[in-house]
């Protein structure tokens, strides 16, 4: 979606799943099929409401086998993929049609031995996989976990950038003389502020852009 980047700068939001919600005996398509409507990873960036799809994303998943055993007949289109990597890519294209999606699958999990904090649920076993029920006795410390991390560019960034613009616009910089002692000129600051507003517009959806034009026409 190269047409999206009308500014030199690009902004992405961070997403993560730690641990990635996989079962000990399941394969990646099994896990993904359990989340057909929304991805099983959470937004880390302070962007407010989540939704509106995305323009582009890069996803890295660690600690999951690359194998995808053939089942006849395959339970789903994800199970019919030739590998777990293909299944992950197919899943991303299904949830975000039209978005530029890249993905990487690594079998090496993320180590969580001390001094890594043990904040995991009792439902997470030593290898970081989810159990159906908590064990009767305290489980040993989690030594590793499967992790998914994603960087995503999309409409979720618009309220964050436009909110930042409004906050900066309200600041009276003349009260902060030290700010300009480093050589920053007021004209440069105003120019950067306008560039921030222009950048925020890049992350609007077509519907939001049309609504803004209608409001401008009515004024």
């Amino acid at each position: 979606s190269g047409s999206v980047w009308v500014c030199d700068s690009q902004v992405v939001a961070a997403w993560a799943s730690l641990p990635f919600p996989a079962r000990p005996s399941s394969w990646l398509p099994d896990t993904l099929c359990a989340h057909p409507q929304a991805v099983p990873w959470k937004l880390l960036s302070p962007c407010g409401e989540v939704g509106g799809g995305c323009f582009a994303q890069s996803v890295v998943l660690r600690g999951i086998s690359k194998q995808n055993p053939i089942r006849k007949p395959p339970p789903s289109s994800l199970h019919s993929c030739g590998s777990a990597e293909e299944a992950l890519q197919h899943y991303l294209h299904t949830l975000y049609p039209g978005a530029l999606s890249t993905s990487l699958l690594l079998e090496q999990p993320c180590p969580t031995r001390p001094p890594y904090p043990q904040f995991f649920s009792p439902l997470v076993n030593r290898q970081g996989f989810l159990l159906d029920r908590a064990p009767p006795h305290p489980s040993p410390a989690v030594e590793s976990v499967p992790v998914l991390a994603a960087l995503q560019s999309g409409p979720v960034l618009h309220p964050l950038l436009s909110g930042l613009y409004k906050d900066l616009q309200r600041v009276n910089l003349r009260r902060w003389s030290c700010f300009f002692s480093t050589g920053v000129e007021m004209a440069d600051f105003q120019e950067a502020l306008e560039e921030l507003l222009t950048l925020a517009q890049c992350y609007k959806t077509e519907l939001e852009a049309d609504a803004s034009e209608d409001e401008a026409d009515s004024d």
Side-chain angles (χ1 to χ4, degrees):
S1 61
S3 60
V4 173
W5 311 121
V6 298
C7 298
D8 292 335
S9 301
Q10 299 179 16
V11 184
V12 293
W15 300 68
S17 179
L18 193 161
F20 182 72
R23 305 286 175 178
S25 59
S26 65
W27 302 98
L28 180 58
D30 300 327
T31 303
L32 297 178
C33 282
H35 304 273
Q37 303 298 326
V39 294
W41 45 91
K42 302 295 184 180
L43 180 64
L44 303 181
S45 302
C47 297
E49 294 294 330
V50 178
C54 77
F55 307 138
Q57 61 184 336
S58 177
V59 177
V60 177
L61 176 57
R62 294 182 56 178
I64 298 295
S65 173
K66 292 186 177 183
Q67 297 182 5
N68 190 20
I70 301 300
R71 300 180 186 176
K72 296 183 178 181
S76 70
S77 59
L78 290 175
H79 291 85
S80 64
C81 294
S83 67
E85 293 172 312
E86 292 180 13
L88 178 58
Q89 190 70 13
H90 179 72
Y91 178 75
L92 295 174
H93 283 307
T94 300
L95 284 187
Y96 300 102
L100 174 62
S101 298
T102 62
S103 60
L104 177 64
L105 185 61
L106 305 173
E107 293 188 333
Q108 183 67 30
C110 178
T112 57
R113 295 185 178 89
Y116 198 94
Q118 291 294 312
F119 50 69
F120 300 102
S121 163
L123 293 176
V124 178
N125 70 7
R126 183 183 299 183
Q127 289 75 37
F129 294 102
L130 296 183
L131 303 174
D132 292 328
R133 63 185 64 181
H137 304 289
S139 57
V142 178
E143 297 180 352
S144 64
V145 291
V147 176
L148 183 141
L151 296 177
Q152 190 179 91
S153 173
V156 70
L157 291 159
H158 176 253
L160 174 66
L161 295 173
S162 59
L164 177 60
Y165 167 79
K166 293 176 182 178
D167 290 341
L168 291 174
Q169 198 177 35
R170 287 192 291 263
V171 175
N172 183 5
L173 290 178
R174 298 186 186 282
R175 299 178 55 187
W176 306 91
S177 57
C178 60
F179 182 82
F180 297 100
S181 64
T182 59
V184 177
E185 299 291 340
M186 178 61 75
D188 294 335
F189 175 78
Q190 292 298 332
E191 181 181 353
L193 199 59
E194 292 304 315
E195 289 179 353
L196 177 61
L197 177 60
T198 302
L199 179 63
Q201 306 310 311
C202 297
Y203 296 91
K204 278 188 174 182
T205 62
E206 293 182 359
L207 292 177
E208 289 174 324
D210 292 341
S212 298
E213 291 178 0
D214 292 340
E215 291 178 1
D217 294 339
S218 63
D219 294 339

